[in-house]
Amino acid sequence: MSSTPPAPKSWLTNQSARRPWARLAVAATAALALLGVAAAPAVADGTPTPAASERSKTSFVIGVKQDIDSLNPYVGVVAGAFETYQLMYDYLTTSAARDFAPEPWLAERWETSADGKAWTFHLRKGVKWSDGVDLTAKDVVYTFQRAKDDETANGQYSSYVDNITKITATDDHTVVMEVEKPSPIMLRLAVPILPEHVWSKVSAKDAATFANDKDVVGSGPFQLAEAKKGQFYRFTANKQHFAGAPNIDELIFTVFADDTALAQALRQGEIDMAQDLPAAIAETLVKEPGITVNDAKYYGFNEIGYNLGAATTDGKAIGDGHPALKDKQVRLAIDHAIDRRTLVTKVLNGHGGPATGVIPPIYADLHWNPGSAERAFDLAKANSILDAAGYPKGADGIRAKDGKALKFRLFGRDSSEYSKQTAEYVRSWLKEIGIEATVSIMSEDNLTAVLGKGEFDLFEWGWVVEPDPDFQLSVMTCEQRSYEEDGEIAAGWSDSFYCSEAFDKLYAEQQTMIDPAKRAEKVKEAQKLLYEDVAYSLTYYYNQSEAYRSDRFTGFVPQPSAGGILAFQYGTHSYRNLKPVTAQAGEPDSGSGGMVLWVVGGVVLVLLIGGAVVVLRRRSNADDRE
């Protein structure tokens, strides 16, 4: 809910971006795309996207649907924001393209004490900030200390730094972090390292409003050159980056108003990649010459969220949520009334799967599945649950208890057609069990504000989940509820206000478990409790549909290596390695190295890329905190 960030819903993400990347798949839009009819490509405000033929540099242009909420790493929570952070700044470690395993980045090596309470990180030498100043251990100490002490920064990165008790620079290239308890997340510290000589001039008071959109000083593989909110974000390659100079000169994110325009821009060569396309539109691009479609596994999920009793961290009730949603039986009935398989089939066009645990199956060792205990779509059972719980239907067919009718507000997001469609399906199913849901569609920014104040009943959104489960689980802890500051309510990462001592205990236990297998069992226990409490009604895991100009660019590095995504990764693998096509005409592109399988009009299309065959899946959605 924002992750994100969110937690960082993603390096993102988080909140693992926070939320996901929106996708749109309206029937009318899909029909137009199938006919090749679309509006002229344009960014959200109607400004034409620069034509590829006009570029004087080697630029790679990605068309996106979700605008960036902030370039300030203490503030932005959507997936696009976290994407920019890892372009502009470096992290101590990164996630391997192969399998998300932690690997060296700014820290070239590390060691931990026998008791697991002291971590020593050895930084690469010779790394410089983009203004020529040396990057040293003092910058790392400053970054983490500020993330602990500054309220705004801590709000973004608390799940990473609160266990750290002391940060010390023993020399210019060595940082020692002492922790209260052993923690497996010390190799997953998704905190961008910031230059002390720049950010020390940004006061704690100004941190929450600092735009960070001009003269940005960073050390990452790309640096911000120009930003026009709602239009585009242009980054130039850092040719002196320690991982090697990127093969392109510029990376540009262009914001589009709708998916039809996005797809048409790719067809016409105005952009080089269309990111996070709805399946219905991606399918229309499969046979387009010079275009490769990648239907990839993804690490996000979507859900119907509940107002479980909005309150601040000190227990003060806030908002105006419907009290009936505090009743687990009401939530259980709603959960039985959601037909996840229909959502996967009708909304995702089959490119995803029903969701259960909050850690997606792409992280196989951590994913929990209820198995035979999975709640089936069953309207009759949903009705019987409400009957037994004392919510009889009135003459108008709407259930009520103690004079309070079951009439709920259901909020969806205007940036995602998937969100709109899901909300309508859920509305219709709830009507069948005597619940009236009034659907309202709003911007993600407005929805974030509404959720933080507890002024909602139900909502549709999703999360992008990081390789380490800690952040995603932290979102559901009591301390991530909203808080009051100077008489104003400020949002935490929690968007449902779930608060359970039993869950908090499981969360705290997994934080200190170094043994991966034992920790995985505890993480699964935590997911099981969320499922049993109906803290969310998860709807689907979705695939990520991307399409790119394979006649112009190659060298993409999928994450994970088997059927993974090519952009918006945990790391900058593709951005640093993609390059212009120089092969002879007719030579196959070695790009993503996968197979794309689509079913269009009853015909199965199999597209071999680079001679490799990869089975497809993908995230059910699109919204991570999208």
Side-chain angles (χ1 to χ4, degrees):
M1 10 176 226
S2 291
S3 6
T4 309
K9 264 178 178 195
S10 292
W11 270 73
L12 275 140
T13 118
N14 282 311
Q15 203 194 151
S16 169
R18 180 176 176 158
R19 291 234 186 214
W21 269 79
R23 295 181 187 148
L24 304 154
V26 237
T29 297
L32 287 173
L34 283 166
L35 295 172
V37 179
V43 291
D45 71 345
T47 304
T49 303
S53 60
E54 297 173 357
R55 302 172 199 156
S56 58
K57 299 179 180 179
T58 303
S59 303
F60 186 78
V61 183
I62 302 180
V64 300
K65 274 294 315 299
Q66 182 190 57
D67 195 13
I68 294 169
D69 55 341
S70 177
L71 292 162
N72 179 340
Y74 293 152
V75 175
V77 298
V78 302
F82 284 91
E83 190 77 345
T84 68
Y85 306 157
Q86 63 181 1
L87 292 174
M88 298 187 292
Y89 305 107
D90 288 309
Y91 297 72
L92 290 177
T93 62
T94 190
S95 296
R98 178 185 65 259
D99 58 1
F100 302 105
E103 62 181 15
W105 197 240
L106 191 56
E108 60 183 358
R109 58 188 176 87
W110 52 80
E111 60 259 6
T112 184
S113 60
D115 62 2
K117 291 188 175 183
W119 290 76
T120 302
F121 294 93
H122 301 277
L123 307 183
R124 298 179 187 275
K125 297 179 180 178
V127 178
K128 291 184 179 293
W129 296 107
S130 55
D131 61 0
V133 175
D134 290 336
L135 188 160
T136 71
K138 292 182 179 179
D139 294 300
V140 177
V141 173
Y142 170 80
T143 295
F144 279 88
Q145 195 63 54
R146 181 158 189 172
K148 285 184 63 65
D149 300 339
D150 183 295
E151 191 168 354
T152 298
N154 188 255
Q156 188 82 311
Y157 301 111
S158 61
S159 63
Y160 302 116
V161 303
D162 283 357
N163 186 46
I164 301 174
T165 57
K166 187 177 181 180
I167 310 124
T168 308
T170 57
D171 60 41
D172 282 351
H173 300 96
T174 308
V175 175
V176 177
M177 297 188 191
E178 298 176 25
V179 296
E180 182 179 352
K181 301 175 181 178
S183 173
I185 205 167
M186 293 303 289
L187 294 181
R188 301 282 193 185
L189 297 174
V191 181
I193 306 305
L194 306 180
E196 180 181 11
H197 65 285
V198 174
W199 282 85
S200 60
K201 298 174 184 176
V202 180
S203 68
K205 179 181 178 181
D206 295 337
T209 57
F210 181 58
N212 197 40
D213 59 357
K214 292 181 176 64
D215 303 318
V216 176
V217 175
S219 65
F222 291 85
Q223 291 302 306
L224 181 69
E226 188 178 9
K228 290 191 176 182
K229 189 168 178 60
Q231 298 183 32
F232 66 87
Y233 300 84
R234 183 168 62 89
F235 298 84
T236 56
N238 177 1
K239 299 298 185 180
Q240 283 73 49
H241 193 260
F242 62 77
N247 297 316
I248 56 175
D249 298 312
E250 291 184 332
L251 178 62
I252 302 171
F253 296 91
T254 301
V255 183
F256 281 78
D258 62 71
D259 289 301
T260 303
L262 179 59
Q264 191 67 355
L266 185 69
R267 287 188 181 93
Q268 295 178 350
E270 300 291 340
I271 61 175
D272 303 302
M273 172 177 272
Q275 196 271 339
D276 199 13
L277 286 167
I281 288 183
E283 288 171 355
T284 70
L285 297 171
V286 170
K287 288 187 174 182
E288 290 283 346
I291 293 177
T292 291
V293 174
N294 184 44
D295 188 48
K297 297 177 182 177
Y298 200 68
Y299 28 74
F301 69 82
N302 276 45
E303 85 275 355
I304 294 297
Y306 302 100
N307 187 333
L308 301 177
T312 61
T313 52
D314 60 6
K316 177 182 177 181
I318 60 174
D320 58 3
H322 198 297
L325 290 171
K326 297 179 184 179
D327 187 340
K328 177 181 170 180
Q329 294 306 304
V330 173
R331 303 195 303 274
L332 182 62
I334 292 174
D335 202 67
H336 273 293
I338 297 175
D339 187 347
R340 292 162 175 82
R341 298 195 181 280
T342 289
L343 293 178
V344 170
T345 301
K346 300 296 186 180
V347 176
L348 302 181
N349 278 32
H351 298 281
T356 50
V358 298
I359 308 300
I362 195 170
Y363 305 126
D365 293 341
L366 299 167
H367 172 64
W368 174 81
N369 191 303
S372 59
E374 183 175 347
R375 289 189 282 268
F377 172 62
D378 190 334
L379 293 176
K381 184 168 186 176
N383 273 301
S384 67
I385 290 173
L386 292 173
D387 288 339
Y391 295 89
K393 288 184 178 179
D396 60 356
I398 305 302
R399 295 179 180 274
K401 187 175 186 179
D402 299 328
K404 186 76 171 176
L406 297 190
K407 295 182 178 182
F408 302 142
R409 296 159 295 177
L410 171 54
F411 296 146
R413 294 164 295 112
D414 63 7
S415 61
S416 171
E417 203 63 35
Y418 287 175
S419 179
K420 298 174 191 176
Q421 291 182 27
T422 297
E424 284 300 323
Y425 273 112
V426 171
R427 181 197 61 75
S428 66
W429 291 321
L430 293 188
K431 183 178 180 180
E432 294 294 317
I433 63 172
I435 295 176
E436 180 179 298
T438 301
V439 174
S440 296
I441 304 300
M442 62 182 64
S443 71
E444 291 184 350
D445 287 347
N446 286 342
L447 183 53
T448 297
V450 164
L451 296 180
K453 294 178 181 178
E455 297 173 347
F456 69 98
D457 300 319
L458 307 171
F459 66 91
E460 192 284 337
W461 211 338
W463 288 94
V464 170
V465 182
E466 299 177 5
D468 189 277
D470 187 84
F471 175 79
Q472 197 58 50
L473 296 181
S474 77
V475 168
M476 309 303 290
T477 60
C478 298
E479 68 176 15
Q480 287 300 332
R481 294 175 295 173
S482 297
Y483 58 94
E484 190 170 2
E485 181 180 28
D486 299 328
E488 296 292 328
I489 299 299
W493 280 120
S494 177
D495 50 17
S496 65
F497 297 93
Y498 178 75
C499 183
S500 161
E501 289 185 8
F503 180 84
D504 281 8
K505 182 174 183 292
L506 291 171
Y507 170 71
E509 289 173 348
Q510 66 83 32
Q511 279 192 305
T512 63
M513 302 179 78
I514 304 300
D515 184 300
K518 292 181 179 178
R519 185 188 184 208
E521 288 307 309
K522 195 65 64 175
V523 169
K524 291 176 182 179
E525 281 186 54
Q527 293 177 79
K528 181 173 183 287
L529 180 58
L530 292 176
Y531 187 80
E532 292 174 344
D533 283 349
V534 201
Y536 278 157
S537 281
L538 272 67
T539 49
Y540 49 73
Y541 304 118
Y542 49 89
N543 291 356
Q544 172 88 23
S545 296
E546 310 162 297
Y548 67 96
R549 298 293 313 203
S550 49
D551 57 349
R552 292 209 298 241
F553 285 93
T554 185
F556 296 89
V557 180
Q559 185 187 44
S561 55
I565 61 171
L566 307 180
F568 281 72
Q569 304 172 324
Y570 286 100
T572 55
H573 308 289
S574 280
Y575 300 145
R576 290 182 293 105
N577 289 284
L578 65 86
K579 56 188 177 182
V581 170
T582 57
Q584 297 293 320
E587 185 174 328
D589 169 38
S590 59
S592 62
M595 173 188 81
V596 179
L597 174 64
W598 298 99
V599 180
V600 183
V603 179
V604 178
L605 302 176
V606 179
L607 177 63
L608 294 178
I609 306 171
V613 178
V614 178
V615 179
L616 296 176
R617 253 226 64 220
R618 204 229 137 194
R619 75 183 193 171
S620 73
N621 138 43
D623 307 45
D624 357 209
R625 262 165 205 242
E626 319 163 26

